[in-house]
Amino acid sequence: MTAEPILILQMQRMGDLILSFPLMLWLQRHYPGRALFVAAEKLFFTPLLPFSPQATYIPWEAAGELKKRRYRLVINLSIREEAARLAGELDTEEILGPVLRRQAHRVHGPWQIYRAALVRNNRGNRFHWADLNALDCIPMQRMAATRFDPPRPPRTDKLQVGLFLGASDAAKRPSPAFWAGLLKELVRRDIRPVLFGGPGETELGRETRALFGRPVPDFCGKLKLDELGRALNACSLLITPDTGPMHLAAWTGCRTLNLSMGNVSPFETGPYQPGHLVLRADLPCSEGCWECTRPALECHAAFTPETVAYVAGKACAGRPLFRAPQGLRLWETGRDSRGLHTLVPLDGSEPDIDERLGRFWKAFFCWRLGLGTEQDAREALSALSSGQRSELAATLPGAVSRLRNTLAQGPHAPIWNAGPDPLSLLTGYADMTLRNADFAPTEHAAQLAHLEALGILLSG
């Protein structure tokens, strides 16, 4: 009898599909002998086939065929309603992610619920999307044991740097004037620049070249995705905003310098493999935002052609970077003590207030959701400043009171968006979990227990 296969539903864009590649590798190792199916948009998966782990891709147009067999595990990584509806119609032993059955929406898996609770509530989150894809079904020990190849070392005979110009949202990418200025700075450092972009960046490439005023190779709109992957082999570095080709470069071993700007979080969607560089503005909102609420994109002003070229030049020459340019934070992607993605400051500085709080919540949720220990949470708590611990303690009674009131008020009782910012990750998770369980008293007690556990830590 053939072993029941595993199915991933991934209807998101190219970057999300590439961030599913580590999960595919782990599933193959954790469930040897089982076929792996991936239902995705043909537009996105076809050009990625040369780079994907071994899997059978099913075009979404043929998704109805998936209902004809039974599965060992179905993982829905999509937010689209048609994916949740399909997940609810499949015959499977286990299911994770959003499911729609009989007009009732449910999210299966505590880590999938955690991820869903990050919508408009992700400040302070330190879990990467690629890790969250897997935490409900892959043992952390297996994830920690995985070693990804480091980025290729820069070529010594000819320094060539790729610039990927575009992003899905204009707020997430630099302006043509910035790119033109960066071209001038790279040429001044004897670095050969090359422009890359999809069909949507053709005009952006033309405008950048016009502002630069000198010939420069421009492949915007001219390369298929598999051709882009091969072209990156000739680059010592790819300078790029947070976009799908950034993840392709990191996956294929081209070192990336991620210009993390706009409404993105490098902790969630930055380059996943270790050894890549991330630049972000050193602003109070630099933790990552769901959407910009400021009058202007202040984070863009921190990036200048001179500072980015300085970092790129050091990276291409293989020289260590000991400090970030003024107004910016500079990290290298790495792994924490659990084997999960993290960002390591390259200036050797101690974690700032926001970073210490983010590390605490990471340890706390690992403990409460069964992937860590109370001692880990205590150690992370001890790294907080006395002011941070006092603020958490002061806001806890109000959060407990609001949570208890939900039994009487039901879905109209505000939890996460009425609570204090330091507790928003925990109250957001409680809110999502309670709604997911129709405010069942047993789940209410479980969420109250998380708050009480935090109180015990703080009192200790």
Side-chain angles (χ1 to χ4, degrees):
M1 178 178 176
T2 304
E4 295 168 341
I6 295 170
L7 171 64
I8 296 174
L9 304 180
Q10 179 52 282
M11 294 178 61
Q12 307 305 109
R13 297 175 64 86
M14 176 178 60
D16 298 281
L17 185 54
I18 297 172
L19 288 182
S20 305
F21 286 177
L23 172 62
M24 296 180 198
L25 289 177
W26 292 323
L27 287 170
Q28 291 170 349
R29 296 170 183 175
H30 194 58
Y31 296 96
R34 294 185 186 272
L36 176 61
F37 296 163
V38 180
E41 298 282 5
K42 190 174 183 179
L43 172 67
F44 296 126
F45 77 69
T46 300
L48 289 174
L49 290 177
F51 312 105
S52 171
Q54 185 175 359
T56 300
Y57 282 85
I58 311 295
W60 189 250
E61 298 76 18
E65 295 295 313
L66 297 171
K67 303 176 187 178
K68 297 181 180 180
R69 64 192 312 161
R70 177 174 170 79
Y71 301 92
R72 166 61 184 85
L73 172 64
V74 172
I75 307 170
N76 180 16
L77 300 179
S78 303
I79 59 174
R80 289 165 56 176
E81 184 170 306
E82 53 264 51
R85 183 177 291 108
L86 174 62
E89 296 171 350
L90 295 173
D91 181 14
T92 179
E93 179 180 336
E94 183 181 1
I95 192 163
L96 296 170
V99 176
L100 176 59
R101 287 196 182 106
R102 295 182 291 276
Q103 302 306 310
H105 284 268
R106 294 289 183 270
V107 179
H108 293 253
W111 289 105
Q112 291 295 328
I113 293 173
Y114 175 90
R115 183 167 71 167
L118 296 178
V119 175
R120 303 185 184 279
N121 186 42
N122 63 331
R123 184 174 176 83
N125 172 54
R126 289 296 182 272
F127 290 98
H128 196 280
W129 242 234
D131 288 333
L132 288 174
N133 286 343
L135 287 176
D136 278 315
C137 57
I138 303 297
M140 188 178 289
Q141 294 86 347
R142 184 175 294 278
M143 295 169 62
T146 303
R147 295 291 179 267
F148 294 97
D149 290 337
R152 292 185 296 274
R155 295 177 58 174
T156 57
D157 56 334
K158 180 176 64 175
L159 291 180
Q160 177 170 291
V161 168
L163 280 63
F164 195 90
L165 304 184
S168 59
D169 184 341
K172 300 178 183 179
R173 64 160 174 81
S175 67
F178 171 89
W179 287 125
L182 181 57
L183 288 174
K184 294 175 183 177
E185 289 296 325
L186 292 174
V187 169
R188 189 168 69 84
R189 289 169 168 80
D190 294 325
I191 298 174
R192 180 176 183 263
V194 180
L195 304 184
F196 294 112
E201 282 80 52
T202 302
E203 178 59 25
L204 184 57
R206 186 203 63 78
E207 189 174 350
T208 298
R209 285 188 288 109
L211 292 171
F212 179 46
R214 295 172 58 182
V216 58
D218 180 6
F219 293 100
C220 293
K222 299 176 182 178
L223 299 178
K224 297 178 182 178
L225 200 58
D226 56 341
E227 294 173 328
L228 172 62
R230 290 192 292 270
L232 292 175
N233 286 331
C235 293
S236 298
L237 186 73
L238 180 69
I239 304 175
T240 170
D242 191 327
T243 187
M246 175 192 74
H247 295 298
L248 177 63
W251 179 258
T252 57
C254 176
R255 197 180 195 191
T256 67
L257 171 55
N258 173 209
L259 308 184
S260 181
M261 57 176 61
N263 53 319
V264 296
S265 169
F267 302 99
E268 296 173 349
T269 59
Y272 179 67
Q273 290 73 24
H276 299 275
L277 300 174
V278 176
L279 268 177
R280 190 160 177 86
D282 189 11
L283 292 171
C285 57
S286 65
E287 291 295 288
C289 55
W290 199 264
E291 58 188 5
C292 187
T293 58
R294 302 194 174 201
L297 294 170
E298 298 175 19
C299 57
H300 282 229
F303 293 85
T304 67
E306 295 81 7
T307 56
V308 173
Y310 165 78
V311 174
K314 288 278 192 178
C316 287
R319 296 172 185 163
L321 291 143
F322 294 111
R323 63 182 179 86
Q326 186 174 4
L328 291 167
R329 298 286 308 278
L330 176 62
W331 294 288
E332 185 175 59
T333 56
R335 291 292 181 267
D336 64 16
S337 59
R338 305 171 190 84
L340 300 176
H341 174 276
T342 193
L343 295 178
V344 181
L346 285 182
D347 59 3
S349 61
E350 292 296 317
D352 62 16
I353 290 177
D354 289 327
E355 178 61 19
R356 289 196 294 269
L357 186 59
R359 291 183 182 184
F360 166 70
W361 284 123
K362 191 174 188 179
F364 182 86
F365 275 100
C366 279
W367 167 42
R368 298 304 296 174
L369 299 186
L371 296 180
T373 67
E374 180 179 352
Q375 183 59 30
D376 293 335
R378 287 190 180 280
E379 291 176 1
L381 180 66
S382 68
L384 298 183
S385 68
S386 58
Q388 285 177 300
R389 293 194 295 271
S390 298
E391 187 176 13
L392 284 174
T395 56
L396 194 57
V400 172
S401 177
R402 278 188 295 275
L403 184 56
R404 285 174 172 159
N405 288 340
T406 59
L407 281 178
Q409 299 180 38
H412 303 294
I415 303 176
W416 73 268
N417 56 354
D421 284 344
L423 283 179
S424 62
L425 281 178
L426 183 55
T427 54
Y429 180 78
D431 187 44
M432 179 62 67
T433 305
L434 286 171
R435 295 179 189 279
N436 195 59
D438 293 329
F439 291 82
T442 53
E443 193 56 64
H444 190 278
Q447 299 311 307
L448 192 59
H450 291 325
L451 287 169
E452 291 172 345
L454 176 60
I456 292 172
L457 282 183
L458 291 167
S459 66

